[in-house]
Amino acid sequence: MGLPKANRLKHWRDFQLVFNRGIARRSRYLTLRGVRVTPKEKGSVREQPCATQVGISIGKKVSKKAVVRNRIKRQLRRAVRELMPSIIPGWKIVLVVKPGAVECEYEHFLRELKQVLTQAEVLNGH
């Protein structure tokens, strides 16, 4: 099962925004790029913060086989879905997978993802 529609980062302009203005945190197999989006003002009342959106970028350097790349994306989506309740709303995040990630299992991705989210101060209570 993938991420809910409200939590998907899909448009190329959003990816460009994150890569141009965002912060970067690195771990052994993942690079997190993220930018905090402030809510727009309507009159004198501020809107609620928008939902956090996450995109995954995985290139052919990781693996030439689409089956392997898709398996990694599914594992990362599952890890993001598990950590989503503890992520501060209003972030746009891109997870870039590094080439050594082919041998990783779900638990390893979960641990690394929690580590980079904590480094970026995206988790509630860090």
Side-chain angles (χ1 to χ4, degrees):
M1 189 164 113
L3 290 172
K5 218 171 206 179
N7 297 116
R8 295 180 201 161
L9 190 67
K10 295 177 87 173
H11 203 274
W12 66 270
R13 286 188 184 116
D14 293 329
F15 278 84
Q16 283 300 111
L17 171 78
V18 172
F19 278 100
N20 290 337
R21 290 192 350 192
I23 61 169
R25 299 294 182 264
R26 291 167 184 78
S27 69
R28 186 171 180 187
Y29 298 114
L30 296 175
T31 299
L32 178 135
R33 303 290 303 232
V35 65
R36 182 83 188 256
V37 181
T38 57
K40 298 175 184 168
E41 292 187 20
K42 283 189 177 176
S44 61
V45 179
R46 291 183 68 89
E47 286 185 21
Q48 294 293 327
C50 54
T52 295
Q53 295 179 322
V54 179
I56 298 172
S57 174
I58 181 168
K60 287 189 179 178
K61 281 187 177 182
V62 176
S63 175
K64 299 283 186 207
K65 298 179 181 179
V67 173
V68 174
R69 294 193 309 270
N70 289 335
R71 179 182 54 82
I72 292 170
K73 283 193 279 189
R74 282 193 305 272
Q75 290 175 341
L76 275 173
R77 279 191 218 111
R78 181 178 167 201
V80 168
R81 199 172 52 245
E82 187 172 318
L83 293 174
M84 190 61 73
S86 61
I87 294 177
I88 299 170
W91 280 87
K92 290 188 183 217
I93 298 170
V94 176
L95 297 171
V96 182
V97 181
K98 293 182 181 179
V102 175
E103 65 264 358
C104 289
E105 293 299 322
Y106 166 73
E107 292 80 19
H108 194 87
F109 281 127
L110 182 63
R111 185 175 42 237
E112 287 231 354
L113 183 59
K114 191 179 272 191
Q115 174 190 350
V116 293
L117 287 172
T118 303
Q119 287 175 0
E121 298 178 355
V122 176
L123 290 177
N124 281 325
H126 321 291

